[in-house]
Amino acid sequence: AQTVTQSQPEMSVQEAETVTLSCTYDTSESNYYLFWYKQPPSRQMILVIRQEAYKQQNATENRFSVNFQKAAKSFSLKISDSQLGDTAMYFCGYTGNQFYFGTGTSLTVIP
Amino acid sequence: NAGVTQTPKFRVLKTGQSMTLLCAQDMNHEYMYWYRQDPGMGLRLIHYSVGEGTTAKGEVPDGYNVSRLKKQNFLLGLESAAPSQTSVYFCASRQLVSGANVLTFGAGSRLTVL
């Protein structure tokens, strides 16, 4: 079965602090990419970061970075120096032949 | 650079009514998708298309029909709406970016079935 699990439905973080969102997945595919999408209150889905499964080096995009543990099938997202604009729903997932999404983590950045 | 455009953005229907959601993309993408988003359930694939004139079922296709008569348009139809179809619907198209498939989403359409 192809599944993506986000075990933290809701999280909060103080502005300027660091927060890590968890994600695990299960796939039998050998070639795939992992991703995190952000959905702010505007409802627009925005790609935050992606990672090739065959690469050991963790991807980074400015304040966003991932911790990819392939053997454990874990793909967590770290947000550094959290900003109010980071308040959003975050979806992790992976894509091989299709796209698979987790159920989301609602992140609130507290001023 | 419109990207992916969905219409309408909001709609209220009565049970049994029919409607069509329109998705248009101006990026010449082959693959297009329709998802529904419900609280606590993430995004679930309804139908998708791998090119003009083709459609395929996703995870939750029952109660929906789709058509892809033109490459740039992907229509999602509800023939007889039910309250269980109250949801936010997202259309997306797929492109290859540096060897990886990436989805570009529309802004979503909120549908309420009374």
PDB file of all heavy atoms in Angstrom, chain B residues 22-62:
ATOM      1  N   LEU B  22     -14.831  23.843 -13.980  1.00  0.00           N
ATOM      2  CA  LEU B  22     -13.926  23.972 -15.115  1.00  0.00           C
ATOM      3  C   LEU B  22     -12.508  24.261 -14.641  1.00  0.00           C
ATOM      4  O   LEU B  22     -12.304  25.087 -13.752  1.00  0.00           O
ATOM      5  CB  LEU B  22     -14.382  25.111 -16.043  1.00  0.00           C
ATOM      6  CG  LEU B  22     -13.393  25.525 -17.143  1.00  0.00           C
ATOM      7  CD1 LEU B  22     -13.151  24.373 -18.118  1.00  0.00           C
ATOM      8  CD2 LEU B  22     -13.888  26.759 -17.870  1.00  0.00           C
ATOM      9  N   CYS B  23     -11.564  23.559 -15.217  1.00  0.00           N
ATOM     10  CA  CYS B  23     -10.154  23.813 -14.954  1.00  0.00           C
ATOM     11  C   CYS B  23      -9.477  24.127 -16.280  1.00  0.00           C
ATOM     12  O   CYS B  23      -9.621  23.362 -17.245  1.00  0.00           O
ATOM     13  CB  CYS B  23      -9.507  22.593 -14.308  1.00  0.00           C
ATOM     14  SG  CYS B  23      -7.737  22.776 -14.030  1.00  0.00           S
ATOM     15  N   ALA B  24      -8.743  25.219 -16.307  1.00  0.00           N
ATOM     16  CA  ALA B  24      -8.033  25.618 -17.519  1.00  0.00           C
ATOM     17  C   ALA B  24      -6.580  25.912 -17.173  1.00  0.00           C
ATOM     18  O   ALA B  24      -6.306  26.589 -16.186  1.00  0.00           O
ATOM     19  CB  ALA B  24      -8.685  26.850 -18.139  1.00  0.00           C
ATOM     20  N   GLN B  25      -5.672  25.384 -18.002  1.00  0.00           N
ATOM     21  CA  GLN B  25      -4.249  25.672 -17.809  1.00  0.00           C
ATOM     22  C   GLN B  25      -3.654  26.150 -19.133  1.00  0.00           C
ATOM     23  O   GLN B  25      -4.010  25.662 -20.201  1.00  0.00           O
ATOM     24  CB  GLN B  25      -3.508  24.438 -17.275  1.00  0.00           C
ATOM     25  CG  GLN B  25      -3.694  23.149 -18.067  1.00  0.00           C
ATOM     26  CD  GLN B  25      -2.559  22.818 -19.012  1.00  0.00           C
ATOM     27  OE1 GLN B  25      -1.567  23.546 -19.120  1.00  0.00           O
ATOM     28  NE2 GLN B  25      -2.698  21.686 -19.697  1.00  0.00           N
ATOM     29  N   ASP B  26      -2.742  27.104 -18.988  1.00  0.00           N
ATOM     30  CA  ASP B  26      -2.154  27.718 -20.182  1.00  0.00           C
ATOM     31  C   ASP B  26      -0.675  27.367 -20.317  1.00  0.00           C
ATOM     32  O   ASP B  26       0.088  28.101 -20.948  1.00  0.00           O
ATOM     33  CB  ASP B  26      -2.350  29.236 -20.146  1.00  0.00           C
ATOM     34  CG  ASP B  26      -1.714  29.892 -18.923  1.00  0.00           C
ATOM     35  OD1 ASP B  26      -1.112  29.169 -18.099  1.00  0.00           O
ATOM     36  OD2 ASP B  26      -1.833  31.119 -18.786  1.00  0.00           O
ATOM     37  N   MET B  27      -0.279  26.242 -19.730  1.00  0.00           N
ATOM     38  CA  MET B  27       1.137  25.865 -19.717  1.00  0.00           C
ATOM     39  C   MET B  27       1.431  24.689 -20.636  1.00  0.00           C
ATOM     40  O   MET B  27       2.544  24.151 -20.611  1.00  0.00           O
ATOM     41  CB  MET B  27       1.539  25.530 -18.271  1.00  0.00           C
ATOM     42  CG  MET B  27       1.379  26.725 -17.342  1.00  0.00           C
ATOM     43  SD  MET B  27       1.613  26.314 -15.603  1.00  0.00           S
ATOM     44  CE  MET B  27       0.076  25.472 -15.247  1.00  0.00           C
ATOM     45  N   ASN B  28       0.432  24.258 -21.395  1.00  0.00           N
ATOM     46  CA  ASN B  28       0.600  23.157 -22.346  1.00  0.00           C
ATOM     47  C   ASN B  28       0.978  21.834 -21.664  1.00  0.00           C
ATOM     48  O   ASN B  28       1.671  20.992 -22.239  1.00  0.00           O
ATOM     49  CB  ASN B  28       1.654  23.508 -23.410  1.00  0.00           C
ATOM     50  CG  ASN B  28       1.462  22.706 -24.694  1.00  0.00           C
ATOM     51  OD1 ASN B  28       0.341  22.413 -25.093  1.00  0.00           O
ATOM     52  ND2 ASN B  28       2.557  22.337 -25.329  1.00  0.00           N
ATOM     53  N   HIS B  29       0.515  21.646 -20.425  1.00  0.00           N
ATOM     54  CA  HIS B  29       0.813  20.409 -19.712  1.00  0.00           C
ATOM     55  C   HIS B  29      -0.078  19.276 -20.194  1.00  0.00           C
ATOM     56  O   HIS B  29      -1.265  19.476 -20.470  1.00  0.00           O
ATOM     57  CB  HIS B  29       0.613  20.608 -18.202  1.00  0.00           C
ATOM     58  CG  HIS B  29       1.592  21.556 -17.597  1.00  0.00           C
ATOM     59  ND1 HIS B  29       1.432  22.083 -16.339  1.00  0.00           N
ATOM     60  CD2 HIS B  29       2.752  22.076 -18.072  1.00  0.00           C
ATOM     61  CE1 HIS B  29       2.438  22.887 -16.062  1.00  0.00           C
ATOM     62  NE2 HIS B  29       3.256  22.904 -17.109  1.00  0.00           N
ATOM     63  N   GLU B  30       0.512  18.078 -20.247  1.00  0.00           N
ATOM     64  CA  GLU B  30      -0.255  16.912 -20.671  1.00  0.00           C
ATOM     65  C   GLU B  30      -1.143  16.374 -19.538  1.00  0.00           C
ATOM     66  O   GLU B  30      -2.292  16.041 -19.741  1.00  0.00           O
ATOM     67  CB  GLU B  30       0.687  15.801 -21.144  1.00  0.00           C
ATOM     68  CG  GLU B  30       1.445  16.126 -22.419  1.00  0.00           C
ATOM     69  CD  GLU B  30       0.556  16.130 -23.653  1.00  0.00           C
ATOM     70  OE1 GLU B  30      -0.565  15.591 -23.593  1.00  0.00           O
ATOM     71  OE2 GLU B  30       0.983  16.689 -24.690  1.00  0.00           O
ATOM     72  N   TYR B  31      -0.561  16.246 -18.372  1.00  0.00           N
ATOM     73  CA  TYR B  31      -1.255  15.615 -17.258  1.00  0.00           C
ATOM     74  C   TYR B  31      -2.048  16.651 -16.475  1.00  0.00           C
ATOM     75  O   TYR B  31      -1.531  17.707 -16.103  1.00  0.00           O
ATOM     76  CB  TYR B  31      -0.266  14.949 -16.302  1.00  0.00           C
ATOM     77  CG  TYR B  31       0.329  13.652 -16.787  1.00  0.00           C
ATOM     78  CD1 TYR B  31       1.165  13.619 -17.900  1.00  0.00           C
ATOM     79  CD2 TYR B  31       0.078  12.458 -16.119  1.00  0.00           C
ATOM     80  CE1 TYR B  31       1.716  12.437 -18.344  1.00  0.00           C
ATOM     81  CE2 TYR B  31       0.638  11.265 -16.549  1.00  0.00           C
ATOM     82  CZ  TYR B  31       1.456  11.266 -17.662  1.00  0.00           C
ATOM     83  OH  TYR B  31       2.001  10.089 -18.090  1.00  0.00           O
ATOM     84  N   MET B  32      -3.307  16.287 -16.153  1.00  0.00           N
ATOM     85  CA  MET B  32      -4.140  17.123 -15.302  1.00  0.00           C
ATOM     86  C   MET B  32      -4.880  16.252 -14.297  1.00  0.00           C
ATOM     87  O   MET B  32      -5.168  15.074 -14.574  1.00  0.00           O
ATOM     88  CB  MET B  32      -5.126  17.954 -16.134  1.00  0.00           C
ATOM     89  CG  MET B  32      -4.438  18.952 -17.068  1.00  0.00           C
ATOM     90  SD  MET B  32      -5.567  20.024 -17.942  1.00  0.00           S
ATOM     91  CE  MET B  32      -6.097  21.135 -16.627  1.00  0.00           C
ATOM     92  N   TYR B  33      -5.207  16.839 -13.152  1.00  0.00           N
ATOM     93  CA  TYR B  33      -5.763  16.080 -12.036  1.00  0.00           C
ATOM     94  C   TYR B  33      -6.902  16.856 -11.377  1.00  0.00           C
ATOM     95  O   TYR B  33      -6.885  18.084 -11.345  1.00  0.00           O
ATOM     96  CB  TYR B  33      -4.691  15.834 -10.961  1.00  0.00           C
ATOM     97  CG  TYR B  33      -3.442  15.138 -11.447  1.00  0.00           C
ATOM     98  CD1 TYR B  33      -2.440  15.848 -12.098  1.00  0.00           C
ATOM     99  CD2 TYR B  33      -3.255  13.769 -11.234  1.00  0.00           C
ATOM    100  CE1 TYR B  33      -1.289  15.217 -12.536  1.00  0.00           C
ATOM    101  CE2 TYR B  33      -2.107  13.136 -11.667  1.00  0.00           C
ATOM    102  CZ  TYR B  33      -1.125  13.867 -12.312  1.00  0.00           C
ATOM    103  OH  TYR B  33       0.012  13.233 -12.752  1.00  0.00           O
ATOM    104  N   TRP B  34      -7.836  16.101 -10.809  1.00  0.00           N
ATOM    105  CA  TRP B  34      -8.834  16.661  -9.921  1.00  0.00           C
ATOM    106  C   TRP B  34      -8.721  15.968  -8.568  1.00  0.00           C
ATOM    107  O   TRP B  34      -8.768  14.741  -8.481  1.00  0.00           O
ATOM    108  CB  TRP B  34     -10.257  16.471 -10.456  1.00  0.00           C
ATOM    109  CG  TRP B  34     -10.692  17.534 -11.416  1.00  0.00           C
ATOM    110  CD1 TRP B  34     -10.851  17.419 -12.757  1.00  0.00           C
ATOM    111  CD2 TRP B  34     -11.052  18.888 -11.091  1.00  0.00           C
ATOM    112  NE1 TRP B  34     -11.270  18.610 -13.302  1.00  0.00           N
ATOM    113  CE2 TRP B  34     -11.404  19.522 -12.305  1.00  0.00           C
ATOM    114  CE3 TRP B  34     -11.102  19.622  -9.904  1.00  0.00           C
ATOM    115  CZ2 TRP B  34     -11.816  20.855 -12.356  1.00  0.00           C
ATOM    116  CZ3 TRP B  34     -11.500  20.941  -9.968  1.00  0.00           C
ATOM    117  CH2 TRP B  34     -11.848  21.551 -11.174  1.00  0.00           C
ATOM    118  N   TYR B  35      -8.580  16.802  -7.503  1.00  0.00           N
ATOM    119  CA  TYR B  35      -8.526  16.317  -6.137  1.00  0.00           C
ATOM    120  C   TYR B  35      -9.677  16.931  -5.351  1.00  0.00           C
ATOM    121  O   TYR B  35     -10.164  18.004  -5.667  1.00  0.00           O
ATOM    122  CB  TYR B  35      -7.222  16.745  -5.449  1.00  0.00           C
ATOM    123  CG  TYR B  35      -5.970  16.090  -5.958  1.00  0.00           C
ATOM    124  CD1 TYR B  35      -5.226  16.672  -6.989  1.00  0.00           C
ATOM    125  CD2 TYR B  35      -5.500  14.900  -5.400  1.00  0.00           C
ATOM    126  CE1 TYR B  35      -4.059  16.076  -7.449  1.00  0.00           C
ATOM    127  CE2 TYR B  35      -4.344  14.302  -5.854  1.00  0.00           C
ATOM    128  CZ  TYR B  35      -3.632  14.893  -6.874  1.00  0.00           C
ATOM    129  OH  TYR B  35      -2.477  14.304  -7.325  1.00  0.00           O
ATOM    130  N   ARG B  36     -10.030  16.246  -4.287  1.00  0.00           N
ATOM    131  CA  ARG B  36     -10.914  16.860  -3.294  1.00  0.00           C
ATOM    132  C   ARG B  36     -10.175  16.898  -1.958  1.00  0.00           C
ATOM    133  O   ARG B  36      -9.393  15.995  -1.636  1.00  0.00           O
ATOM    134  CB  ARG B  36     -12.254  16.136  -3.157  1.00  0.00           C
ATOM    135  CG  ARG B  36     -12.216  14.702  -2.738  1.00  0.00           C
ATOM    136  CD  ARG B  36     -13.639  14.125  -2.590  1.00  0.00           C
ATOM    137  NE  ARG B  36     -14.313  14.686  -1.409  1.00  0.00           N
ATOM    138  CZ  ARG B  36     -15.597  14.466  -1.113  1.00  0.00           C
ATOM    139  NH1 ARG B  36     -16.335  13.710  -1.902  1.00  0.00           N
ATOM    140  NH2 ARG B  36     -16.141  14.995  -0.038  1.00  0.00           N
ATOM    141  N   GLN B  37     -10.434  17.964  -1.201  1.00  0.00           N
ATOM    142  CA  GLN B  37      -9.780  18.140   0.087  1.00  0.00           C
ATOM    143  C   GLN B  37     -10.841  18.221   1.163  1.00  0.00           C
ATOM    144  O   GLN B  37     -11.717  19.089   1.128  1.00  0.00           O
ATOM    145  CB  GLN B  37      -8.932  19.416   0.116  1.00  0.00           C
ATOM    146  CG  GLN B  37      -8.198  19.614   1.434  1.00  0.00           C
ATOM    147  CD  GLN B  37      -7.404  20.894   1.485  1.00  0.00           C
ATOM    148  OE1 GLN B  37      -7.541  21.770   0.643  1.00  0.00           O
ATOM    149  NE2 GLN B  37      -6.557  21.016   2.480  1.00  0.00           N
ATOM    150  N   ASP B  38     -10.747  17.324   2.125  1.00  0.00           N
ATOM    151  CA  ASP B  38     -11.668  17.286   3.253  1.00  0.00           C
ATOM    152  C   ASP B  38     -10.859  17.305   4.537  1.00  0.00           C
ATOM    153  O   ASP B  38      -9.758  16.750   4.587  1.00  0.00           O
ATOM    154  CB  ASP B  38     -12.537  16.031   3.189  1.00  0.00           C
ATOM    155  CG  ASP B  38     -13.320  15.955   1.883  1.00  0.00           C
ATOM    156  OD1 ASP B  38     -14.233  16.768   1.721  1.00  0.00           O
ATOM    157  OD2 ASP B  38     -12.993  15.100   1.030  1.00  0.00           O
ATOM    158  N   PRO B  39     -11.407  17.919   5.586  1.00  0.00           N
ATOM    159  CA  PRO B  39     -10.665  18.019   6.859  1.00  0.00           C
ATOM    160  C   PRO B  39     -10.205  16.657   7.356  1.00  0.00           C
ATOM    161  O   PRO B  39     -10.999  15.709   7.412  1.00  0.00           O
ATOM    162  CB  PRO B  39     -11.699  18.646   7.799  1.00  0.00           C
ATOM    163  CG  PRO B  39     -12.614  19.402   6.905  1.00  0.00           C
ATOM    164  CD  PRO B  39     -12.713  18.589   5.647  1.00  0.00           C
ATOM    165  N   GLY B  40      -8.940  16.559   7.699  1.00  0.00           N
ATOM    166  CA  GLY B  40      -8.402  15.327   8.254  1.00  0.00           C
ATOM    167  C   GLY B  40      -8.138  14.233   7.246  1.00  0.00           C
ATOM    168  O   GLY B  40      -7.705  13.134   7.615  1.00  0.00           O
ATOM    169  N   MET B  41      -8.391  14.513   5.965  1.00  0.00           N
ATOM    170  CA  MET B  41      -8.223  13.469   4.952  1.00  0.00           C
ATOM    171  C   MET B  41      -7.245  13.862   3.860  1.00  0.00           C
ATOM    172  O   MET B  41      -7.011  13.094   2.930  1.00  0.00           O
ATOM    173  CB  MET B  41      -9.576  13.107   4.347  1.00  0.00           C
ATOM    174  CG  MET B  41     -10.601  12.690   5.393  1.00  0.00           C
ATOM    175  SD  MET B  41     -12.042  11.911   4.720  1.00  0.00           S
ATOM    176  CE  MET B  41     -11.409  10.314   4.313  1.00  0.00           C
ATOM    177  N   GLY B  42      -6.703  15.040   3.930  1.00  0.00           N
ATOM    178  CA  GLY B  42      -5.727  15.455   2.937  1.00  0.00           C
ATOM    179  C   GLY B  42      -6.347  15.616   1.570  1.00  0.00           C
ATOM    180  O   GLY B  42      -7.531  15.945   1.420  1.00  0.00           O
ATOM    181  N   LEU B  43      -5.542  15.364   0.553  1.00  0.00           N
ATOM    182  CA  LEU B  43      -5.986  15.474  -0.827  1.00  0.00           C
ATOM    183  C   LEU B  43      -6.203  14.073  -1.390  1.00  0.00           C
ATOM    184  O   LEU B  43      -5.314  13.228  -1.325  1.00  0.00           O
ATOM    185  CB  LEU B  43      -4.923  16.192  -1.668  1.00  0.00           C
ATOM    186  CG  LEU B  43      -4.776  17.681  -1.397  1.00  0.00           C
ATOM    187  CD1 LEU B  43      -3.447  18.184  -1.913  1.00  0.00           C
ATOM    188  CD2 LEU B  43      -5.906  18.450  -2.051  1.00  0.00           C
ATOM    189  N   ARG B  44      -7.369  13.864  -1.943  1.00  0.00           N
ATOM    190  CA  ARG B  44      -7.668  12.561  -2.536  1.00  0.00           C
ATOM    191  C   ARG B  44      -7.968  12.727  -4.025  1.00  0.00           C
ATOM    192  O   ARG B  44      -8.733  13.608  -4.414  1.00  0.00           O
ATOM    193  CB  ARG B  44      -8.856  11.918  -1.813  1.00  0.00           C
ATOM    194  CG  ARG B  44      -8.553  11.522  -0.377  1.00  0.00           C
ATOM    195  CD  ARG B  44      -9.736  10.814   0.257  1.00  0.00           C
ATOM    196  NE  ARG B  44     -10.851  11.725   0.461  1.00  0.00           N
ATOM    197  CZ  ARG B  44     -12.080  11.321   0.799  1.00  0.00           C
ATOM    198  NH1 ARG B  44     -12.332  10.048   0.954  1.00  0.00           N
ATOM    199  NH2 ARG B  44     -13.039  12.203   0.979  1.00  0.00           N
ATOM    200  N   LEU B  45      -7.372  11.867  -4.806  1.00  0.00           N
ATOM    201  CA  LEU B  45      -7.479  11.973  -6.255  1.00  0.00           C
ATOM    202  C   LEU B  45      -8.824  11.438  -6.729  1.00  0.00           C
ATOM    203  O   LEU B  45      -9.206  10.304  -6.427  1.00  0.00           O
ATOM    204  CB  LEU B  45      -6.338  11.185  -6.905  1.00  0.00           C
ATOM    205  CG  LEU B  45      -6.276  11.204  -8.427  1.00  0.00           C
ATOM    206  CD1 LEU B  45      -6.022  12.626  -8.939  1.00  0.00           C
ATOM    207  CD2 LEU B  45      -5.177  10.268  -8.929  1.00  0.00           C
ATOM    208  N   ILE B  46      -9.525  12.257  -7.524  1.00  0.00           N
ATOM    209  CA  ILE B  46     -10.833  11.860  -8.051  1.00  0.00           C
ATOM    210  C   ILE B  46     -10.664  11.222  -9.425  1.00  0.00           C
ATOM    211  O   ILE B  46     -11.023  10.067  -9.658  1.00  0.00           O
ATOM    212  CB  ILE B  46     -11.774  13.073  -8.144  1.00  0.00           C
ATOM    213  CG1 ILE B  46     -11.889  13.780  -6.797  1.00  0.00           C
ATOM    214  CG2 ILE B  46     -13.151  12.641  -8.633  1.00  0.00           C
ATOM    215  CD1 ILE B  46     -12.635  15.107  -6.872  1.00  0.00           C
ATOM    216  N   HIS B  47     -10.165  11.997 -10.364  1.00  0.00           N
ATOM    217  CA  HIS B  47      -9.878  11.548 -11.718  1.00  0.00           C
ATOM    218  C   HIS B  47      -8.636  12.282 -12.214  1.00  0.00           C
ATOM    219  O   HIS B  47      -8.284  13.335 -11.691  1.00  0.00           O
ATOM    220  CB  HIS B  47     -11.035  11.884 -12.673  1.00  0.00           C
ATOM    221  CG  HIS B  47     -12.241  11.028 -12.539  1.00  0.00           C
ATOM    222  ND1 HIS B  47     -12.337   9.762 -13.090  1.00  0.00           N
ATOM    223  CD2 HIS B  47     -13.430  11.275 -11.924  1.00  0.00           C
ATOM    224  CE1 HIS B  47     -13.538   9.272 -12.826  1.00  0.00           C
ATOM    225  NE2 HIS B  47     -14.223  10.158 -12.122  1.00  0.00           N
ATOM    226  N   TYR B  48      -8.039  11.723 -13.240  1.00  0.00           N
ATOM    227  CA  TYR B  48      -6.920  12.409 -13.860  1.00  0.00           C
ATOM    228  C   TYR B  48      -6.912  12.132 -15.362  1.00  0.00           C
ATOM    229  O   TYR B  48      -7.670  11.289 -15.858  1.00  0.00           O
ATOM    230  CB  TYR B  48      -5.593  12.009 -13.211  1.00  0.00           C
ATOM    231  CG  TYR B  48      -5.191  10.560 -13.392  1.00  0.00           C
ATOM    232  CD1 TYR B  48      -4.284  10.184 -14.370  1.00  0.00           C
ATOM    233  CD2 TYR B  48      -5.703   9.570 -12.555  1.00  0.00           C
ATOM    234  CE1 TYR B  48      -3.905   8.864 -14.524  1.00  0.00           C
ATOM    235  CE2 TYR B  48      -5.346   8.251 -12.700  1.00  0.00           C
ATOM    236  CZ  TYR B  48      -4.432   7.900 -13.677  1.00  0.00           C
ATOM    237  OH  TYR B  48      -4.068   6.579 -13.827  1.00  0.00           O
ATOM    238  N   SER B  49      -6.066  12.870 -16.046  1.00  0.00           N
ATOM    239  CA  SER B  49      -5.967  12.745 -17.499  1.00  0.00           C
ATOM    240  C   SER B  49      -4.498  12.839 -17.899  1.00  0.00           C
ATOM    241  O   SER B  49      -3.773  13.702 -17.398  1.00  0.00           O
ATOM    242  CB  SER B  49      -6.765  13.851 -18.173  1.00  0.00           C
ATOM    243  OG  SER B  49      -6.475  13.904 -19.548  1.00  0.00           O
ATOM    244  N   VAL B  50      -4.087  11.956 -18.788  1.00  0.00           N
ATOM    245  CA  VAL B  50      -2.699  11.964 -19.237  1.00  0.00           C
ATOM    246  C   VAL B  50      -2.555  12.647 -20.593  1.00  0.00           C
ATOM    247  O   VAL B  50      -1.460  12.669 -21.161  1.00  0.00           O
ATOM    248  CB  VAL B  50      -2.107  10.537 -19.281  1.00  0.00           C
ATOM    249  CG1 VAL B  50      -2.180   9.892 -17.911  1.00  0.00           C
ATOM    250  CG2 VAL B  50      -2.804   9.679 -20.318  1.00  0.00           C
ATOM    251  N   GLY B  51      -3.650  13.190 -21.102  1.00  0.00           N
ATOM    252  CA  GLY B  51      -3.575  13.914 -22.362  1.00  0.00           C
ATOM    253  C   GLY B  51      -4.968  14.139 -22.928  1.00  0.00           C
ATOM    254  O   GLY B  51      -5.954  13.570 -22.442  1.00  0.00           O
ATOM    255  N   GLU B  52      -5.011  14.970 -23.954  1.00  0.00           N
ATOM    256  CA  GLU B  52      -6.290  15.285 -24.582  1.00  0.00           C
ATOM    257  C   GLU B  52      -7.022  14.006 -24.979  1.00  0.00           C
ATOM    258  O   GLU B  52      -6.424  13.097 -25.563  1.00  0.00           O
ATOM    259  CB  GLU B  52      -6.031  16.149 -25.824  1.00  0.00           C
ATOM    260  CG  GLU B  52      -7.270  16.576 -26.574  1.00  0.00           C
ATOM    261  CD  GLU B  52      -6.917  17.461 -27.767  1.00  0.00           C
ATOM    262  OE1 GLU B  52      -6.109  18.397 -27.600  1.00  0.00           O
ATOM    263  OE2 GLU B  52      -7.426  17.199 -28.862  1.00  0.00           O
ATOM    264  N   GLY B  53      -8.315  13.945 -24.631  1.00  0.00           N
ATOM    265  CA  GLY B  53      -9.145  12.804 -24.990  1.00  0.00           C
ATOM    266  C   GLY B  53      -9.026  11.605 -24.067  1.00  0.00           C
ATOM    267  O   GLY B  53      -9.692  10.592 -24.291  1.00  0.00           O
ATOM    268  N   THR B  54      -8.209  11.698 -23.033  1.00  0.00           N
ATOM    269  CA  THR B  54      -8.036  10.572 -22.107  1.00  0.00           C
ATOM    270  C   THR B  54      -8.456  10.959 -20.703  1.00  0.00           C
ATOM    271  O   THR B  54      -8.273  12.105 -20.280  1.00  0.00           O
ATOM    272  CB  THR B  54      -6.577  10.099 -22.041  1.00  0.00           C
ATOM    273  OG1 THR B  54      -5.806  11.037 -21.281  1.00  0.00           O
ATOM    274  CG2 THR B  54      -5.981   9.939 -23.419  1.00  0.00           C
ATOM    275  N   THR B  55      -9.027  10.006 -19.968  1.00  0.00           N
ATOM    276  CA  THR B  55      -9.322  10.197 -18.552  1.00  0.00           C
ATOM    277  C   THR B  55      -9.142   8.873 -17.841  1.00  0.00           C
ATOM    278  O   THR B  55      -9.206   7.801 -18.470  1.00  0.00           O
ATOM    279  CB  THR B  55     -10.757  10.700 -18.310  1.00  0.00           C
ATOM    280  OG1 THR B  55     -11.682   9.717 -18.771  1.00  0.00           O
ATOM    281  CG2 THR B  55     -11.010  12.031 -19.006  1.00  0.00           C
ATOM    282  N   ALA B  56      -8.921   8.934 -16.536  1.00  0.00           N
ATOM    283  CA  ALA B  56      -8.751   7.722 -15.742  1.00  0.00           C
ATOM    284  C   ALA B  56      -9.247   7.979 -14.333  1.00  0.00           C
ATOM    285  O   ALA B  56      -9.255   9.126 -13.875  1.00  0.00           O
ATOM    286  CB  ALA B  56      -7.286   7.300 -15.721  1.00  0.00           C
ATOM    287  N   LYS B  57      -9.665   6.912 -13.656  1.00  0.00           N
ATOM    288  CA  LYS B  57     -10.195   7.027 -12.306  1.00  0.00           C
ATOM    289  C   LYS B  57      -9.069   7.104 -11.295  1.00  0.00           C
ATOM    290  O   LYS B  57      -8.029   6.462 -11.435  1.00  0.00           O
ATOM    291  CB  LYS B  57     -11.085   5.824 -11.985  1.00  0.00           C
ATOM    292  CG  LYS B  57     -12.353   5.775 -12.805  1.00  0.00           C
ATOM    293  CD  LYS B  57     -13.189   4.557 -12.442  1.00  0.00           C
ATOM    294  CE  LYS B  57     -14.469   4.512 -13.269  1.00  0.00           C
ATOM    295  NZ  LYS B  57     -15.302   3.335 -12.925  1.00  0.00           N
ATOM    296  N   GLY B  58      -9.332   7.887 -10.254  1.00  0.00           N
ATOM    297  CA  GLY B  58      -8.403   7.966  -9.152  1.00  0.00           C
ATOM    298  C   GLY B  58      -8.910   7.170  -7.963  1.00  0.00           C
ATOM    299  O   GLY B  58      -9.556   6.135  -8.114  1.00  0.00           O
ATOM    300  N   GLU B  59      -8.653   7.693  -6.791  1.00  0.00           N
ATOM    301  CA  GLU B  59      -8.983   6.992  -5.544  1.00  0.00           C
ATOM    302  C   GLU B  59     -10.475   7.058  -5.206  1.00  0.00           C
ATOM    303  O   GLU B  59     -11.043   6.089  -4.684  1.00  0.00           O
ATOM    304  CB  GLU B  59      -8.175   7.605  -4.404  1.00  0.00           C
ATOM    305  CG  GLU B  59      -8.386   7.002  -3.033  1.00  0.00           C
ATOM    306  CD  GLU B  59      -7.648   7.782  -1.956  1.00  0.00           C
ATOM    307  OE1 GLU B  59      -6.913   8.741  -2.293  1.00  0.00           O
ATOM    308  OE2 GLU B  59      -7.806   7.444  -0.757  1.00  0.00           O
ATOM    309  N   VAL B  60     -11.119   8.198  -5.506  1.00  0.00           N
ATOM    310  CA  VAL B  60     -12.525   8.389  -5.116  1.00  0.00           C
ATOM    311  C   VAL B  60     -13.354   8.899  -6.300  1.00  0.00           C
ATOM    312  O   VAL B  60     -13.880  10.015  -6.275  1.00  0.00           O
ATOM    313  CB  VAL B  60     -12.636   9.359  -3.916  1.00  0.00           C
ATOM    314  CG1 VAL B  60     -12.142   8.703  -2.648  1.00  0.00           C
ATOM    315  CG2 VAL B  60     -11.872  10.664  -4.190  1.00  0.00           C
ATOM    316  N   PRO B  61     -13.551   8.099  -7.337  1.00  0.00           N
ATOM    317  CA  PRO B  61     -14.204   8.576  -8.560  1.00  0.00           C
ATOM    318  C   PRO B  61     -15.734   8.547  -8.554  1.00  0.00           C
ATOM    319  O   PRO B  61     -16.372   9.193  -9.395  1.00  0.00           O
ATOM    320  CB  PRO B  61     -13.688   7.593  -9.610  1.00  0.00           C
ATOM    321  CG  PRO B  61     -13.506   6.317  -8.846  1.00  0.00           C
ATOM    322  CD  PRO B  61     -13.055   6.731  -7.468  1.00  0.00           C
ATOM    323  N   ASP B  62     -16.324   7.808  -7.605  1.00  0.00           N
ATOM    324  CA  ASP B  62     -17.772   7.603  -7.636  1.00  0.00           C
ATOM    325  C   ASP B  62     -18.534   8.910  -7.467  1.00  0.00           C
ATOM    326  O   ASP B  62     -18.269   9.690  -6.561  1.00  0.00           O
ATOM    327  CB  ASP B  62     -18.195   6.604  -6.551  1.00  0.00           C
ATOM    328  CG  ASP B  62     -17.646   5.214  -6.823  1.00  0.00           C
ATOM    329  OD1 ASP B  62     -17.233   4.945  -7.975  1.00  0.00           O
ATOM    330  OD2 ASP B  62     -17.626   4.397  -5.883  1.00  0.00           O
TER     331      ASP B  62
END
